[in-house]
Amino acid sequence: MGYDLSKEEIKEKILGKLKRNFGKTLEEATQDQIYKSCALSIRDVIVEKWTDANKQMLNQGLKRLYYLSAEFLMGRALVNNMINLHLLKDYQEVLTDLGLNLENIEEQERDAGLGNGGLGRLAACFLDSLSTLDFPVTGCSIRYEFGLFKQRILDGEQVEVDDNWLEAGNVWEIARPEEQVEVKYGGELEEVWTERGLKINHKNYYSVLAIPYDYPVMGYMSEMPATLRLWSARAKTELDMHYFNRGDYSKAMQERELAEVISKVLYPEDNHEQGRQLRLKQFYFFTSATMQHIVRKHKANYGDLHTLPNYFTVQINDTHPTLAIPELMRILMDEEGMGWDEAFDICSRIFNYTNHTIMAEALERWEEDMFKALLPRIYEIIKVINDKFCDSLWKIYPGEWDKISKMAIISYHEIRMANLCIAVCNKVNGVSKLHGEIIKSRTFRDFYIVFPDKFLGITNGITPRRWLAKANQPLTKLLCDHIGDGFLKDYKEMDRIEDLLDNQKFLDDFMEVKHQNKIHLRDHLKKTQGIEINENTIFDVHAKRLHEYKRQLLKVLHILHLYNLKKENPQVHIEPCTFLFAAKASPGYVRAKNIIRLILAVADLVNNDPDTKDILRVVFIENYSVSEAEILIPATDISEQISTAGLEASGTGNMKFMMNGAVTLGTMDGANVEIYEAVGDDNIFIFGATEQEISRMERFGTYKPGLYYEQNTDLRLALNRLIDGSLHVANDRQFSDLYHSLLFGEMQRADQYYLLYDFASYTQAYEQIVSAYVDKERWKRMAAMNTAKSGRFSSDRTINEYNELIWHLRKMSERK
Ligand code: Z15
């Protein structure tokens, strides 16, 4: 049962919106107006449910989760909402009757690209699952005016284009100016005595208004739509009339611009923090606004702040929202008159922290003086938390200065946000089994010894609504024909797919769906990039952010190796393969951008050489985004998950490919380990050093990449292509930096990510996966097995675990 809206009503709604919102008949309307009318008609249904549910939730006194994240990578909403309301088929039919086509309409919507990669997309999947499971949640972040840059390829390299996603308006958001709050920066502190004791007076600060925009997120057949609340910065006064009246107009605008730059743009670095002041302003902006909002709301509904932890729980997604902790301390003490211990106790019950990486360059640290100048009161509070924390450590480890200074929140003139989170939060979790173990045994070992009960590992997941029902409608239909549609609400029902693996008809249909999806991708690439690919080749896909640890470069070396094999012996059989890369590089990450240049140069070489152009094709897909992923992933045969073991905390792309029937070629890293456990040794291709092997080499410094270069001829010949003039680039030393980084490196650290170490075993694993592929009977089963076993990677499973171990939310009960 869908939402009961008849087809007649749908039609009336769409035409009514066109008429009343745009003053247009169907014949006169633009595609954009038609899109907006469809979206508004859907929004009405959702907003009605949303309003009722929020009221019910209050009546039933339910606890609400606030999921704080600097990023929510939502993608498009229209078709996803139709699916989740069970209205897709009806809308499709009505639109066909009207002579319209949903695919064209859908493309009018801009992706909400408010995230870089895995971290932001995880937050988006979580909102879908929380709503699907009827748990009350508000996701909080920044309404970036510019999302992650759009990527174009020009003259063989990445060019960034700004993403002004709001320019044509956003039909999903609802502004709530009545709930605006003020966020204060800078200034000085003053202690004053009042009849209630010592009071902190913050003066000479400058303040910015935070205006919330709410965006309902509809889960699948849900009674409890989630709220995504995005805060937008606005100056307190439009113009400074003091300057304006004297005719100094540009000065009059200055304050306004200074304020509004805070929510202007998303920082494009993934897994990397640079300690920039504006970034700190952004983090304080949305966390302060959120905590003020929570306190205000709780006071209005329940009065007494001591009951706050009964009604709110806060998840801090990576350290970016950590300032929520000292900000709540500040509000409770300075504005609500609570004492330190009471306020601290409340904080330690409300906050929880998810760690997403162990890489040093991604751990957030702030220079003490800069921090203190921007947020003087927050700094003071953190200092007290630090003093008390170090005192308590001193009791456990008397005299162990080294250990205590390693664990301290402030040390060497830096504020370390992960340490603050761990010191205060109720629970700290990693994002896969392996990552959960690594943070306990290495990254945060000293903390784990002091707080063994705080640490958890909860494996990430992905929503099967977007990544199956939305992205792969043909496969979803096939599955529904056999096991019904219950699996979209209850992931455990996906296990029933395994019973179909002996059904030849099912397996053939499964492969036919894959073939159709490959054709769909082929047509899409022809249309968007003018690129031709052959759907009768293997589609081998490496799609994720560009980062050295993700080892796109290893894949490139392997392609060069295949090229060499063919050039050396034209008789050799190489199975025709299309290698598809999709990756954005952070604009300031020089080596990552050079790897993109290398991929394009290798594409130029192998795609144009008559000896290889029909068997090896290398394609770089521009502007990888949620919407591109929805087309790419269902068309994939081989899923490349080849990070250096121990460095990919979980990965979630790996799960999306698996769910869509791709077979993983990967290392024992992150959630790959659990994919391996789920599908078994026969249905995955694992290669490379294990995390233990790598950490041993790291500890003893025994890795010598030069040895592999000397001993492995294939590797040496592949690497030499980078510098021997084979590749056509403007600057013939273009790739010598990459070559050099692998063999010599900087500061004695050559090949930090162990590419040369893993090259031989990667080559072997590739041969094995290709021989599995050519055995059509074997491959069918293997591909379908991957889909069959993907149920445990549903984010519904993940959310249930968070709830049982951390949040303890109750679902809204049936309405009377
Ligand atoms: C990011 O996308 C991830 C971790 C980070 O610390 C930052 Cl700043 C960005 C990713 C991990 O690299 C990935 O392994 C994981 O699956 C994802 O977060 C979601 O947990």
Side-chain angles (χ1 to χ4, degrees), residues 71 116-120 122 269-273 279 317-318 320 354-358 362 431 460 549-550 647-652:
E71 307 186 3
N116 275 285
L119 173 109
L122 185 76
E269 283 89 33
D270 191 72
N271 260 300
H272 196 85
E273 274 299 329
R279 177 96 158 150
N317 193 32
D318 217 334
H320 315 136
T354 305
N355 173 277
H356 293 263
T357 187
I358 60 160
V431 290
N460 282 168
Y549 85 85
K550 295 176 189 280
L647 295 184
E648 190 70 275
S650 162
T652 44

PDB file of all heavy atoms in Angstrom, residues 71 116-120 122 269-273 279 317-318 320 354-358 362 431 460 549-550 647-652, ligand 1:
ATOM      1  N   GLU A  71      28.856  17.438   6.846  1.00  0.00           N
ATOM      2  CA  GLU A  71      28.494  17.071   5.476  1.00  0.00           C
ATOM      3  C   GLU A  71      27.281  16.148   5.444  1.00  0.00           C
ATOM      4  O   GLU A  71      27.165  15.238   6.266  1.00  0.00           O
ATOM      5  CB  GLU A  71      29.665  16.321   4.803  1.00  0.00           C
ATOM      6  CG  GLU A  71      30.986  17.073   4.862  1.00  0.00           C
ATOM      7  CD  GLU A  71      32.110  16.399   4.076  1.00  0.00           C
ATOM      8  OE1 GLU A  71      31.858  15.366   3.421  1.00  0.00           O
ATOM      9  OE2 GLU A  71      33.233  16.929   4.133  1.00  0.00           O
ATOM     10  N   ASN A 116      31.857  15.604   0.674  1.00  0.00           N
ATOM     11  CA  ASN A 116      33.010  15.241  -0.142  1.00  0.00           C
ATOM     12  C   ASN A 116      32.955  13.806  -0.641  1.00  0.00           C
ATOM     13  O   ASN A 116      33.312  13.529  -1.776  1.00  0.00           O
ATOM     14  CB  ASN A 116      34.288  15.399   0.678  1.00  0.00           C
ATOM     15  CG  ASN A 116      34.807  16.820   0.651  1.00  0.00           C
ATOM     16  OD1 ASN A 116      35.365  17.240  -0.350  1.00  0.00           O
ATOM     17  ND2 ASN A 116      34.585  17.570   1.717  1.00  0.00           N
ATOM     18  N   GLY A 117      32.583  12.902   0.242  1.00  0.00           N
ATOM     19  CA  GLY A 117      32.664  11.482  -0.114  1.00  0.00           C
ATOM     20  C   GLY A 117      31.972  10.627   0.927  1.00  0.00           C
ATOM     21  O   GLY A 117      30.853  10.943   1.363  1.00  0.00           O
ATOM     22  N   GLY A 118      32.652   9.583   1.362  1.00  0.00           N
ATOM     23  CA  GLY A 118      32.047   8.566   2.224  1.00  0.00           C
ATOM     24  C   GLY A 118      31.404   9.102   3.495  1.00  0.00           C
ATOM     25  O   GLY A 118      30.306   8.699   3.859  1.00  0.00           O
ATOM     26  N   LEU A 119      32.098  10.029   4.150  1.00  0.00           N
ATOM     27  CA  LEU A 119      31.586  10.549   5.413  1.00  0.00           C
ATOM     28  C   LEU A 119      30.222  11.229   5.252  1.00  0.00           C
ATOM     29  O   LEU A 119      29.294  10.997   6.023  1.00  0.00           O
ATOM     30  CB  LEU A 119      32.607  11.546   5.968  1.00  0.00           C
ATOM     31  CG  LEU A 119      32.193  12.322   7.188  1.00  0.00           C
ATOM     32  CD1 LEU A 119      32.991  11.829   8.369  1.00  0.00           C
ATOM     33  CD2 LEU A 119      32.421  13.800   7.020  1.00  0.00           C
ATOM     34  N   GLY A 120      30.108  12.052   4.222  1.00  0.00           N
ATOM     35  CA  GLY A 120      28.855  12.783   3.989  1.00  0.00           C
ATOM     36  C   GLY A 120      27.762  11.884   3.445  1.00  0.00           C
ATOM     37  O   GLY A 120      26.588  12.046   3.766  1.00  0.00           O
ATOM     38  N   LEU A 122      27.485   8.700   4.094  1.00  0.00           N
ATOM     39  CA  LEU A 122      27.042   7.861   5.209  1.00  0.00           C
ATOM     40  C   LEU A 122      25.943   8.583   5.999  1.00  0.00           C
ATOM     41  O   LEU A 122      24.922   8.003   6.355  1.00  0.00           O
ATOM     42  CB  LEU A 122      28.209   7.525   6.141  1.00  0.00           C
ATOM     43  CG  LEU A 122      27.844   6.559   7.268  1.00  0.00           C
ATOM     44  CD1 LEU A 122      27.721   5.132   6.738  1.00  0.00           C
ATOM     45  CD2 LEU A 122      28.864   6.598   8.400  1.00  0.00           C
ATOM     46  N   GLU A 269      38.364  19.264   0.910  1.00  0.00           N
ATOM     47  CA  GLU A 269      39.319  18.231   1.304  1.00  0.00           C
ATOM     48  C   GLU A 269      38.597  17.071   1.974  1.00  0.00           C
ATOM     49  O   GLU A 269      37.774  17.256   2.858  1.00  0.00           O
ATOM     50  CB  GLU A 269      40.373  18.785   2.274  1.00  0.00           C
ATOM     51  CG  GLU A 269      41.442  19.624   1.604  1.00  0.00           C
ATOM     52  CD  GLU A 269      41.069  21.085   1.503  1.00  0.00           C
ATOM     53  OE1 GLU A 269      40.367  21.579   2.412  1.00  0.00           O
ATOM     54  OE2 GLU A 269      41.468  21.730   0.508  1.00  0.00           O
ATOM     55  N   ASP A 270      38.944  15.869   1.562  1.00  0.00           N
ATOM     56  CA  ASP A 270      38.401  14.662   2.162  1.00  0.00           C
ATOM     57  C   ASP A 270      39.557  13.996   2.894  1.00  0.00           C
ATOM     58  O   ASP A 270      40.639  13.852   2.342  1.00  0.00           O
ATOM     59  CB  ASP A 270      37.885  13.734   1.044  1.00  0.00           C
ATOM     60  CG  ASP A 270      37.058  12.584   1.594  1.00  0.00           C
ATOM     61  OD1 ASP A 270      35.931  12.832   2.037  1.00  0.00           O
ATOM     62  OD2 ASP A 270      37.552  11.439   1.581  1.00  0.00           O
ATOM     63  N   ASN A 271      39.327  13.598   4.118  1.00  0.00           N
ATOM     64  CA  ASN A 271      40.385  12.950   4.877  1.00  0.00           C
ATOM     65  C   ASN A 271      41.625  13.826   5.044  1.00  0.00           C
ATOM     66  O   ASN A 271      42.750  13.339   4.958  1.00  0.00           O
ATOM     67  CB  ASN A 271      40.784  11.625   4.193  1.00  0.00           C
ATOM     68  CG  ASN A 271      40.130  10.440   4.876  1.00  0.00           C
ATOM     69  OD1 ASN A 271      40.346  10.213   6.064  1.00  0.00           O
ATOM     70  ND2 ASN A 271      39.330   9.701   4.146  1.00  0.00           N
ATOM     71  N   HIS A 272      41.407  15.111   5.253  1.00  0.00           N
ATOM     72  CA  HIS A 272      42.540  16.024   5.401  1.00  0.00           C
ATOM     73  C   HIS A 272      42.052  17.308   6.074  1.00  0.00           C
ATOM     74  O   HIS A 272      41.055  17.864   5.672  1.00  0.00           O
ATOM     75  CB  HIS A 272      43.095  16.349   4.009  1.00  0.00           C
ATOM     76  CG  HIS A 272      44.469  16.951   4.057  1.00  0.00           C
ATOM     77  ND1 HIS A 272      45.602  16.174   4.127  1.00  0.00           N
ATOM     78  CD2 HIS A 272      44.872  18.231   4.040  1.00  0.00           C
ATOM     79  CE1 HIS A 272      46.662  16.976   4.167  1.00  0.00           C
ATOM     80  NE2 HIS A 272      46.243  18.221   4.110  1.00  0.00           N
ATOM     81  N   GLU A 273      42.767  17.755   7.109  1.00  0.00           N
ATOM     82  CA  GLU A 273      42.386  19.000   7.791  1.00  0.00           C
ATOM     83  C   GLU A 273      43.554  19.969   7.762  1.00  0.00           C
ATOM     84  O   GLU A 273      44.694  19.586   8.024  1.00  0.00           O
ATOM     85  CB  GLU A 273      42.015  18.729   9.256  1.00  0.00           C
ATOM     86  CG  GLU A 273      40.578  18.327   9.479  1.00  0.00           C
ATOM     87  CD  GLU A 273      39.554  19.375   9.041  1.00  0.00           C
ATOM     88  OE1 GLU A 273      39.843  20.601   9.103  1.00  0.00           O
ATOM     89  OE2 GLU A 273      38.458  18.967   8.617  1.00  0.00           O
ATOM     90  N   ARG A 279      37.214  27.628   8.498  1.00  0.00           N
ATOM     91  CA  ARG A 279      36.668  26.294   8.738  1.00  0.00           C
ATOM     92  C   ARG A 279      36.217  26.188  10.209  1.00  0.00           C
ATOM     93  O   ARG A 279      35.141  25.677  10.509  1.00  0.00           O
ATOM     94  CB  ARG A 279      37.750  25.265   8.421  1.00  0.00           C
ATOM     95  CG  ARG A 279      37.383  23.829   8.677  1.00  0.00           C
ATOM     96  CD  ARG A 279      36.907  23.134   7.436  1.00  0.00           C
ATOM     97  NE  ARG A 279      37.047  21.684   7.556  1.00  0.00           N
ATOM     98  CZ  ARG A 279      36.250  20.807   6.949  1.00  0.00           C
ATOM     99  NH1 ARG A 279      35.261  21.236   6.178  1.00  0.00           N
ATOM    100  NH2 ARG A 279      36.448  19.519   7.086  1.00  0.00           N
ATOM    101  N   ASN A 317      29.563  13.311  14.148  1.00  0.00           N
ATOM    102  CA  ASN A 317      30.053  12.563  12.995  1.00  0.00           C
ATOM    103  C   ASN A 317      31.457  13.042  12.639  1.00  0.00           C
ATOM    104  O   ASN A 317      31.613  14.081  12.007  1.00  0.00           O
ATOM    105  CB  ASN A 317      29.105  12.752  11.810  1.00  0.00           C
ATOM    106  CG  ASN A 317      29.375  11.771  10.682  1.00  0.00           C
ATOM    107  OD1 ASN A 317      29.797  10.637  10.924  1.00  0.00           O
ATOM    108  ND2 ASN A 317      29.143  12.186   9.455  1.00  0.00           N
ATOM    109  N   ASP A 318      32.454  12.282  13.024  1.00  0.00           N
ATOM    110  CA  ASP A 318      33.849  12.690  12.953  1.00  0.00           C
ATOM    111  C   ASP A 318      34.016  13.888  13.896  1.00  0.00           C
ATOM    112  O   ASP A 318      33.060  14.313  14.533  1.00  0.00           O
ATOM    113  CB  ASP A 318      34.269  13.045  11.524  1.00  0.00           C
ATOM    114  CG  ASP A 318      35.718  12.600  11.254  1.00  0.00           C
ATOM    115  OD1 ASP A 318      36.495  12.512  12.209  1.00  0.00           O
ATOM    116  OD2 ASP A 318      36.055  12.325  10.100  1.00  0.00           O
ATOM    117  N   HIS A 320      34.436  17.027  13.359  1.00  0.00           N
ATOM    118  CA  HIS A 320      34.026  18.371  12.911  1.00  0.00           C
ATOM    119  C   HIS A 320      32.995  19.051  13.818  1.00  0.00           C
ATOM    120  O   HIS A 320      33.091  20.259  14.022  1.00  0.00           O
ATOM    121  CB  HIS A 320      33.531  18.335  11.460  1.00  0.00           C
ATOM    122  CG  HIS A 320      34.420  17.539  10.544  1.00  0.00           C
ATOM    123  ND1 HIS A 320      33.926  16.647   9.609  1.00  0.00           N
ATOM    124  CD2 HIS A 320      35.766  17.456  10.461  1.00  0.00           C
ATOM    125  CE1 HIS A 320      34.942  16.069   8.977  1.00  0.00           C
ATOM    126  NE2 HIS A 320      36.071  16.544   9.475  1.00  0.00           N
ATOM    127  N   THR A 354      31.722   9.369  16.554  1.00  0.00           N
ATOM    128  CA  THR A 354      32.146   8.369  15.567  1.00  0.00           C
ATOM    129  C   THR A 354      33.465   8.796  14.958  1.00  0.00           C
ATOM    130  O   THR A 354      33.576   9.909  14.436  1.00  0.00           O
ATOM    131  CB  THR A 354      31.112   8.232  14.433  1.00  0.00           C
ATOM    132  OG1 THR A 354      29.832   7.940  14.993  1.00  0.00           O
ATOM    133  CG2 THR A 354      31.506   7.112  13.473  1.00  0.00           C
ATOM    134  N   ASN A 355      34.444   7.917  15.029  1.00  0.00           N
ATOM    135  CA  ASN A 355      35.727   8.167  14.378  1.00  0.00           C
ATOM    136  C   ASN A 355      35.705   7.512  12.997  1.00  0.00           C
ATOM    137  O   ASN A 355      35.253   6.384  12.852  1.00  0.00           O
ATOM    138  CB  ASN A 355      36.864   7.584  15.233  1.00  0.00           C
ATOM    139  CG  ASN A 355      38.194   7.674  14.523  1.00  0.00           C
ATOM    140  OD1 ASN A 355      38.531   6.829  13.698  1.00  0.00           O
ATOM    141  ND2 ASN A 355      38.946   8.717  14.796  1.00  0.00           N
ATOM    142  N   HIS A 356      36.198   8.227  11.981  1.00  0.00           N
ATOM    143  CA  HIS A 356      36.154   7.700  10.611  1.00  0.00           C
ATOM    144  C   HIS A 356      37.527   7.513   9.975  1.00  0.00           C
ATOM    145  O   HIS A 356      37.603   7.163   8.796  1.00  0.00           O
ATOM    146  CB  HIS A 356      35.364   8.633   9.691  1.00  0.00           C
ATOM    147  CG  HIS A 356      33.912   8.719  10.007  1.00  0.00           C
ATOM    148  ND1 HIS A 356      32.955   7.972   9.347  1.00  0.00           N
ATOM    149  CD2 HIS A 356      33.241   9.483  10.900  1.00  0.00           C
ATOM    150  CE1 HIS A 356      31.756   8.276   9.831  1.00  0.00           C
ATOM    151  NE2 HIS A 356      31.903   9.199  10.773  1.00  0.00           N
ATOM    152  N   THR A 357      38.572   7.812  10.683  1.00  0.00           N
ATOM    153  CA  THR A 357      39.876   7.660  10.057  1.00  0.00           C
ATOM    154  C   THR A 357      40.959   7.590  11.116  1.00  0.00           C
ATOM    155  O   THR A 357      40.803   8.133  12.209  1.00  0.00           O
ATOM    156  CB  THR A 357      40.180   8.829   9.094  1.00  0.00           C
ATOM    157  OG1 THR A 357      41.389   8.555   8.387  1.00  0.00           O
ATOM    158  CG2 THR A 357      40.351  10.147   9.834  1.00  0.00           C
ATOM    159  N   ILE A 358      42.057   6.939  10.762  1.00  0.00           N
ATOM    160  CA  ILE A 358      43.195   6.936  11.680  1.00  0.00           C
ATOM    161  C   ILE A 358      44.366   7.685  11.063  1.00  0.00           C
ATOM    162  O   ILE A 358      45.444   7.756  11.633  1.00  0.00           O
ATOM    163  CB  ILE A 358      43.631   5.489  11.999  1.00  0.00           C
ATOM    164  CG1 ILE A 358      44.038   4.757  10.719  1.00  0.00           C
ATOM    165  CG2 ILE A 358      42.524   4.742  12.700  1.00  0.00           C
ATOM    166  CD1 ILE A 358      44.906   3.551  11.001  1.00  0.00           C
ATOM    167  N   ALA A 362      44.350  13.660   8.860  1.00  0.00           N
ATOM    168  CA  ALA A 362      42.922  13.948   8.927  1.00  0.00           C
ATOM    169  C   ALA A 362      42.468  14.255  10.348  1.00  0.00           C
ATOM    170  O   ALA A 362      41.356  14.716  10.569  1.00  0.00           O
ATOM    171  CB  ALA A 362      42.128  12.772   8.365  1.00  0.00           C
ATOM    172  N   VAL A 431      34.089   2.392  12.430  1.00  0.00           N
ATOM    173  CA  VAL A 431      33.073   2.194  11.406  1.00  0.00           C
ATOM    174  C   VAL A 431      33.139   0.850  10.666  1.00  0.00           C
ATOM    175  O   VAL A 431      32.448   0.662   9.678  1.00  0.00           O
ATOM    176  CB  VAL A 431      33.081   3.372  10.404  1.00  0.00           C
ATOM    177  CG1 VAL A 431      32.558   4.642  11.061  1.00  0.00           C
ATOM    178  CG2 VAL A 431      34.483   3.607   9.824  1.00  0.00           C
ATOM    179  N   ASN A 460      29.632   0.235   8.991  1.00  0.00           N
ATOM    180  CA  ASN A 460      28.820   1.122   8.139  1.00  0.00           C
ATOM    181  C   ASN A 460      27.822   0.330   7.298  1.00  0.00           C
ATOM    182  O   ASN A 460      27.914  -0.888   7.182  1.00  0.00           O
ATOM    183  CB  ASN A 460      29.751   1.877   7.170  1.00  0.00           C
ATOM    184  CG  ASN A 460      30.468   3.044   7.828  1.00  0.00           C
ATOM    185  OD1 ASN A 460      31.392   3.601   7.269  1.00  0.00           O
ATOM    186  ND2 ASN A 460      30.034   3.425   9.013  1.00  0.00           N
ATOM    187  N   TYR A 549      46.188   6.785  -0.632  1.00  0.00           N
ATOM    188  CA  TYR A 549      45.973   5.524   0.085  1.00  0.00           C
ATOM    189  C   TYR A 549      44.921   4.629  -0.600  1.00  0.00           C
ATOM    190  O   TYR A 549      44.887   3.422  -0.376  1.00  0.00           O
ATOM    191  CB  TYR A 549      45.622   5.773   1.559  1.00  0.00           C
ATOM    192  CG  TYR A 549      44.163   6.048   1.860  1.00  0.00           C
ATOM    193  CD1 TYR A 549      43.265   4.996   2.055  1.00  0.00           C
ATOM    194  CD2 TYR A 549      43.670   7.351   1.961  1.00  0.00           C
ATOM    195  CE1 TYR A 549      41.922   5.243   2.331  1.00  0.00           C
ATOM    196  CE2 TYR A 549      42.351   7.605   2.230  1.00  0.00           C
ATOM    197  CZ  TYR A 549      41.470   6.540   2.410  1.00  0.00           C
ATOM    198  OH  TYR A 549      40.156   6.783   2.680  1.00  0.00           O
ATOM    199  N   LYS A 550      44.094   5.221  -1.448  1.00  0.00           N
ATOM    200  CA  LYS A 550      43.091   4.429  -2.171  1.00  0.00           C
ATOM    201  C   LYS A 550      43.690   3.763  -3.417  1.00  0.00           C
ATOM    202  O   LYS A 550      43.046   2.939  -4.058  1.00  0.00           O
ATOM    203  CB  LYS A 550      41.894   5.305  -2.534  1.00  0.00           C
ATOM    204  CG  LYS A 550      41.116   5.805  -1.308  1.00  0.00           C
ATOM    205  CD  LYS A 550      39.989   6.743  -1.712  1.00  0.00           C
ATOM    206  CE  LYS A 550      39.322   7.444  -0.542  1.00  0.00           C
ATOM    207  NZ  LYS A 550      38.340   6.599   0.171  1.00  0.00           N
ATOM    208  N   LEU A 647      44.134   1.323   6.186  1.00  0.00           N
ATOM    209  CA  LEU A 647      43.938   2.759   5.998  1.00  0.00           C
ATOM    210  C   LEU A 647      42.518   3.178   5.608  1.00  0.00           C
ATOM    211  O   LEU A 647      42.117   4.303   5.886  1.00  0.00           O
ATOM    212  CB  LEU A 647      44.941   3.298   4.967  1.00  0.00           C
ATOM    213  CG  LEU A 647      46.413   3.200   5.413  1.00  0.00           C
ATOM    214  CD1 LEU A 647      47.319   3.846   4.384  1.00  0.00           C
ATOM    215  CD2 LEU A 647      46.633   3.837   6.784  1.00  0.00           C
ATOM    216  N   GLU A 648      41.753   2.319   4.969  1.00  0.00           N
ATOM    217  CA  GLU A 648      40.357   2.669   4.651  1.00  0.00           C
ATOM    218  C   GLU A 648      39.523   2.229   5.838  1.00  0.00           C
ATOM    219  O   GLU A 648      39.367   1.033   6.087  1.00  0.00           O
ATOM    220  CB  GLU A 648      39.905   1.958   3.375  1.00  0.00           C
ATOM    221  CG  GLU A 648      38.563   2.429   2.840  1.00  0.00           C
ATOM    222  CD  GLU A 648      38.615   3.841   2.271  1.00  0.00           C
ATOM    223  OE1 GLU A 648      38.467   4.798   3.072  1.00  0.00           O
ATOM    224  OE2 GLU A 648      38.821   3.990   1.053  1.00  0.00           O
ATOM    225  N   ALA A 649      38.977   3.187   6.578  1.00  0.00           N
ATOM    226  CA  ALA A 649      38.302   2.827   7.822  1.00  0.00           C
ATOM    227  C   ALA A 649      37.196   1.803   7.565  1.00  0.00           C
ATOM    228  O   ALA A 649      37.073   0.810   8.291  1.00  0.00           O
ATOM    229  CB  ALA A 649      37.747   4.074   8.488  1.00  0.00           C
ATOM    230  N   SER A 650      36.396   2.053   6.563  1.00  0.00           N
ATOM    231  CA  SER A 650      35.363   1.080   6.214  1.00  0.00           C
ATOM    232  C   SER A 650      35.242   0.968   4.699  1.00  0.00           C
ATOM    233  O   SER A 650      35.411  -0.077   4.105  1.00  0.00           O
ATOM    234  CB  SER A 650      34.013   1.514   6.804  1.00  0.00           C
ATOM    235  OG  SER A 650      32.948   0.850   6.150  1.00  0.00           O
ATOM    236  N   GLY A 651      34.949   2.120   4.078  1.00  0.00           N
ATOM    237  CA  GLY A 651      34.529   2.099   2.685  1.00  0.00           C
ATOM    238  C   GLY A 651      33.039   1.825   2.680  1.00  0.00           C
ATOM    239  O   GLY A 651      32.525   1.094   3.548  1.00  0.00           O
ATOM    240  N   THR A 652      32.324   2.459   1.761  1.00  0.00           N
ATOM    241  CA  THR A 652      30.894   2.178   1.619  1.00  0.00           C
ATOM    242  C   THR A 652      30.565   1.937   0.151  1.00  0.00           C
ATOM    243  O   THR A 652      29.599   1.252  -0.160  1.00  0.00           O
ATOM    244  CB  THR A 652      30.046   3.339   2.173  1.00  0.00           C
ATOM    245  OG1 THR A 652      30.614   4.566   1.719  1.00  0.00           O
ATOM    246  CG2 THR A 652      30.014   3.320   3.674  1.00  0.00           C
TER     247      THR A 652
HETATM  248  C1  Z15 B   1      35.719  10.647   4.896  1.00  0.00           C
HETATM  249  O1  Z15 B   1      35.000  10.562   3.772  1.00  0.00           O
HETATM  250  C2  Z15 B   1      36.006   9.519   5.639  1.00  0.00           C
HETATM  251  C3  Z15 B   1      36.727   9.653   6.787  1.00  0.00           C
HETATM  252  C4  Z15 B   1      37.159  10.897   7.208  1.00  0.00           C
HETATM  253  O2  Z15 B   1      37.843  11.036   8.347  1.00  0.00           O
HETATM  254  C5  Z15 B   1      36.872  12.016   6.456  1.00  0.00           C
HETATM  255 CL1  Z15 B   1      37.407  13.538   6.984  1.00  0.00          CL
HETATM  256  C6  Z15 B   1      36.160  11.904   5.309  1.00  0.00           C
HETATM  257  C7  Z15 B   1      35.463   8.192   5.187  1.00  0.00           C
HETATM  258  C8  Z15 B   1      36.440   7.040   5.298  1.00  0.00           C
HETATM  259  O3  Z15 B   1      37.610   7.319   4.584  1.00  0.00           O
HETATM  260  C9  Z15 B   1      35.764   5.785   4.752  1.00  0.00           C
HETATM  261  O4  Z15 B   1      36.600   4.653   4.902  1.00  0.00           O
HETATM  262  C10 Z15 B   1      34.450   5.527   5.475  1.00  0.00           C
HETATM  263  O5  Z15 B   1      33.741   4.485   4.865  1.00  0.00           O
HETATM  264  C11 Z15 B   1      33.590   6.772   5.453  1.00  0.00           C
HETATM  265  O6  Z15 B   1      34.302   7.887   5.953  1.00  0.00           O
HETATM  266  C12 Z15 B   1      32.330   6.607   6.278  1.00  0.00           C
HETATM  267  O7  Z15 B   1      32.615   6.103   7.544  1.00  0.00           O
END
